[in-house]
Amino acid sequence: MERRLAAILCADMVGYSRMMSGDEAGTLTALKSIRRDIIDPTISAHRGRIVKQTGDGLLAEFPSAVAAVEAARGIQTEIAHRNSVPSSERPMQFRIGINLGDIIIEEDDIFGDGVNIAARLESRADPGAILVSAAVHDQVARRLKLAFEAVGELDLKNITGPVRAYRIAGPAEGSGHVAGPALPEKPSIAVLPFTNMGGDAAQEYFSDGITEDVITELSRFRGLFVIARNSSFVYKGRSVNVRDVGQELGVQYVLEGSVRPSGQHIRVNAQLIDAETGHHVWAERYDRRSDDIFAVQDELTETIAATLEARVGAAAQERVRRKPPGSLKAYDYVLRGESIISRTSEDNRRAREMFLKATELDPDCARAWAGIAMSELIDWLSRWGDDPAKALDQAYTAARKAVALDDLDGHSHRILGNILLQQGEFDRSGEHLEWALSRNPNDANSYCSLGALFNCVRELQKALTAIATGIRLNPHHPSWYLWYRAAAQIMEGSYEEAVASLRTALTRFPDFVTPHRHLAVAYMRLGRESDARMEVAEILKLDPGYNLANLAERLRFKYLEDSERYLDDLRRAGMPDG
């Protein structure tokens, strides 16, 4: 019989039977939503394991009491926030009990007094509250800044002897904090000093250097609000609560990290945390040889900064999606628009409406004008909208306005560079894309846009190198990175590699014409005409009016023979002329 020590969390929904009798379908829908969006990801983020679920409750185990308590706090905070936002789903509350004790493991289930005490504590907790045993309290009281209320010794059913218990103050109770600065409109982040885990004070310069460089590189992204070094380093050497840091500095996200040298290797851990809920948004581990310590520092800094920008942006978009429309500000509308742009024709139209709403609230919001430009460019490329023929001119006008409002914003210059590429202005396109990268050398999107330009002017090695850099900086990149890479691979004759790139891209977004079009050309050049014809059939299914005449208006190769060969491949694959 296997035994081990574990932290056990039991949770149960309040009033489940009453709510089921009143509205069975609505109750089950709301309960599934809370489990999917809040409970399951929070437990997973704190390294917990859901052992089993009942109709209205669950049992989970954690490797430590701290992890269990942080997960419970995150769950109750998120549920309280959800209940405060007007919604069609009915409000729900949960009771949570946590115990630290010996458990018995049998297959995937767990048993024993450690589990029974947690279950009994849960049944005695108030709605929306967390009740913990003295064993849990003693483990976490010195490690987490929480307010505990002693509730005395409880006689619990089928438990021998009384159990001393403590109630943890709710999300808004007992913090003792003075309100910090108001959150900025932009997604905001503080980078805490990375911890030197090597024990050698001489290595402190490296962990501090990583921290300082990540702050500097993140500051290049004008879509982020980044706390300066002097404020972040106030927390150096201190054990801090991330929620306190977020409140004191007025930021939505906090990055923590550590550096551990080991012989000829260095391991760097980084984790991004939502300061409001304590949820882990992203975590990554980097292992590098330490032959050239400064080169390692540069590479890690670039990778962490580029990945963080994408992760913070995605998390901010998700946060905004949960806000009721009446509370949205200009930048919130921008984030909402950026979260849906280009997915479908309808989504692209809705995104433009979001950007226009942002300009009504703030006419000088460069990011909103850049969003309008991008949505118009997508309409032009995808033949969407009521009048795609005018879309490119409208995109150019909006992009010029964005650059005029904020000439330092590389994002706006990148979009203008892409528009100029579609207008056949190769030199001017390159100027804006190179300028965007000069302002922010960690912008993966600009590298891939530059790669597209290099491909159009037949500088293929430059194209593949630029796109490879973009993919390294943003490993969880959008599928269009692979379209651009495949286009360059086709131009250089690497047709099998192009097919592999495009097949990967289509697993993410199968409803775009461009990857199917590139794939048809690659198949024709491989002699696989039947496969190419299937891709053309898919294109005509997605856009029945698609033909070589309207494609020729949108192909942008510097040399006429490149365009003619591309169009001829599609013609032989069955694409109609007009």
Side-chain angles (χ1 to χ4, degrees):
M1 193 175 294
E2 182 184 353
R3 291 177 177 270
R4 70 164 178 262
L5 187 69
I8 309 302
L9 181 152
C10 286
D12 188 65
M13 179 181 156
V14 178
Y16 176 77
S17 299
R18 173 179 52 79
M19 294 175 72
M20 284 289 285
S21 64
D23 180 7
E24 183 174 295
T27 300
L28 287 174
T29 298
L31 180 57
K32 287 180 181 178
S33 175
I34 283 181
R35 283 178 172 169
R36 181 189 67 243
D37 298 338
I38 298 175
I39 295 176
D40 291 6
T42 302
I43 289 173
S44 177
H46 290 85
R47 297 181 295 128
R49 177 177 76 93
I50 296 176
V51 178
K52 57 187 172 184
Q53 301 188 46
T54 61
D56 59 341
L58 61 87
L59 171 67
E61 65 161 330
F62 293 81
S64 73
V66 170
V69 169
E70 286 185 326
R73 287 273 296 175
I75 289 169
Q76 296 291 42
T77 300
E78 280 291 282
I79 291 176
H81 173 72
R82 176 186 179 277
N83 290 339
S84 70
V85 176
S87 170
S88 59
E89 294 179 345
R90 56 177 50 199
M92 289 185 172
Q93 288 185 304
F94 283 73
R95 297 183 177 92
I96 295 180
I98 305 175
N99 181 44
L100 180 67
D102 200 47
I103 61 171
I104 300 168
I105 298 93
E106 185 173 308
E107 295 182 348
D108 290 331
D109 210 346
I110 58 176
F111 305 90
D113 276 353
V115 177
N116 296 337
I117 291 173
R120 300 307 177 200
L121 288 172
E122 173 270 305
S123 68
R124 300 287 290 271
D126 293 327
I130 305 166
L131 204 61
V132 305
S133 65
V136 173
H137 169 269
D138 293 346
Q139 285 292 315
V140 306
R142 295 187 303 275
R143 294 176 172 85
L144 300 178
K145 291 185 178 179
L146 298 175
F148 291 87
E149 175 188 348
V151 296
E153 294 186 339
L154 304 179
D155 292 317
L156 304 178
K157 184 179 179 180
N158 296 331
I159 301 299
T160 303
V163 174
R164 183 175 295 278
Y166 294 82
R167 177 179 178 272
I168 299 177
E173 301 174 28
S175 63
H177 293 302
V178 178
L183 291 175
E185 284 196 356
K186 297 177 181 180
S188 49
I189 183 171
V191 181
L192 297 183
F194 278 46
T195 304
N196 173 24
M197 305 293 288
D200 181 1
Q203 294 291 326
E204 201 77 14
Y205 76 90
F206 183 76
S207 55
D208 285 352
I210 288 282
T211 308
E212 293 175 7
D213 285 353
V214 168
I215 291 171
T216 299
E217 297 306 314
L218 281 178
S219 299
R220 295 178 185 270
F221 291 98
R222 292 174 67 78
L224 298 179
F225 180 92
V226 184
I227 292 296
R229 177 204 181 281
N230 59 335
S231 295
S232 292
F233 270 73
V234 167
Y235 299 94
K236 183 174 173 62
R238 291 168 51 185
S239 176
V240 297
N241 184 302
V242 168
R243 293 190 187 93
D244 293 344
V245 174
Q247 193 172 50
E248 291 165 8
L249 297 180
V251 294
Q252 296 161 328
Y253 306 98
V254 172
L255 178 73
E256 292 183 321
S258 63
V259 178
R260 184 187 297 276
S262 178
Q264 296 300 310
H265 293 80
I266 290 178
R267 171 169 292 176
V268 175
N269 288 294
Q271 54 185 2
L272 180 67
I273 303 168
D274 185 321
E276 182 181 0
T277 65
H279 290 176
H280 286 65
V281 177
W282 164 82
E284 191 63 83
R285 186 180 74 191
Y286 303 92
D287 290 304
R288 298 290 189 275
R289 286 187 59 84
S290 56
D291 299 333
D292 185 342
I293 198 73
F294 297 108
V296 170
Q297 182 172 322
D298 289 343
E299 180 192 351
L300 288 170
T301 296
E302 292 171 359
T303 304
I304 292 170
T307 306
L308 272 179
E309 192 273 339
R311 288 295 180 178
V312 170
Q317 289 168 1
E318 180 59 36
R319 181 192 290 268
V320 166
R321 276 198 290 269
R322 296 197 297 264
K323 288 186 178 182
S327 68
L328 296 181
K329 299 176 182 178
Y331 211 85
D332 291 339
Y333 279 108
V334 171
L335 291 175
R336 277 202 174 185
E338 290 179 346
S339 72
I340 61 174
I341 192 170
S342 87
R343 295 191 307 197
T344 65
S345 173
E346 178 61 19
D347 283 341
N348 201 54
R349 182 191 62 77
R350 288 175 51 232
R352 186 156 55 248
E353 290 176 354
M354 298 292 179
F355 299 136
L356 287 168
K357 183 68 176 176
T359 62
E360 292 172 8
L361 295 173
D362 180 5
D364 295 332
C365 181
R367 189 93 176 197
W369 288 105
I372 292 169
M374 192 65 196
S375 69
E376 296 282 8
L377 175 60
I378 290 167
D379 273 357
W380 156 260
L381 291 169
S382 303
R383 293 182 2 99
W384 289 345
D386 297 330
D387 193 353
K390 292 183 179 178
L392 193 59
D393 290 337
Q394 293 167 341
Y396 178 73
T397 300
R400 290 286 296 172
K401 187 171 182 67
V403 169
L405 286 169
D406 188 354
D407 187 53
L408 299 179
D409 181 19
H411 174 76
S412 298
H413 280 276
R414 175 176 60 83
I415 292 174
L416 180 55
N418 283 326
I419 294 166
L420 288 166
L421 174 59
Q422 292 304 313
Q423 292 177 331
E425 297 277 355
F426 301 115
D427 290 341
R428 291 179 62 202
S429 172
E431 289 172 4
H432 285 279
L433 294 174
E434 293 280 9
W435 194 95
L437 283 171
S438 73
R439 296 301 305 171
N440 188 352
N442 303 307
D443 184 3
N445 288 342
S446 289
Y447 275 108
C448 286
S449 294
L450 190 62
L453 169 63
F454 285 142
N455 186 57
C456 290
V457 299
R458 213 190 280 169
E459 296 187 35
L460 302 180
Q461 284 308 306
K462 286 185 178 180
L464 290 168
T465 299
I467 294 166
T469 302
I471 290 173
R472 179 180 65 78
L473 287 171
N474 185 5
H476 303 284
H477 52 79
S479 62
W480 58 266
Y481 283 33
L482 299 178
W483 306 354
Y484 286 172
R485 183 173 73 182
Q489 288 167 334
I490 290 171
M491 287 283 287
E492 76 156 4
S494 300
Y495 306 129
E496 294 285 4
E497 290 85 345
V499 168
S501 295
L502 293 164
R503 281 297 173 202
T504 301
L506 285 170
T507 61
R508 303 184 193 177
F509 290 101
D511 297 335
F512 281 95
V513 166
T514 303
H516 289 288
R517 176 160 51 79
H518 288 335
L519 200 50
V521 172
Y523 281 144
M524 285 302 297
R525 298 187 186 182
L526 284 167
R528 296 166 58 179
E529 185 173 330
S530 61
D531 290 329
R533 287 184 174 276
M534 289 177 62
E535 295 304 323
V536 169
E538 188 65 31
I539 291 169
L540 296 176
K541 186 189 303 183
L542 293 170
D543 185 352
Y546 209 88
N547 57 56
L548 294 175
N550 55 48
L551 172 58
E553 297 175 359
R554 289 164 173 76
L555 274 187
R556 289 296 177 263
F557 289 107
K558 182 175 181 179
Y559 301 103
L560 181 61
E561 56 265 34
D562 293 335
S563 296
E564 289 178 341
R565 185 183 181 193
Y566 190 95
L567 293 170
D568 186 59
D569 285 330
L570 292 172
R571 181 179 293 108
R572 292 186 296 112
M575 184 171 286
D577 283 304

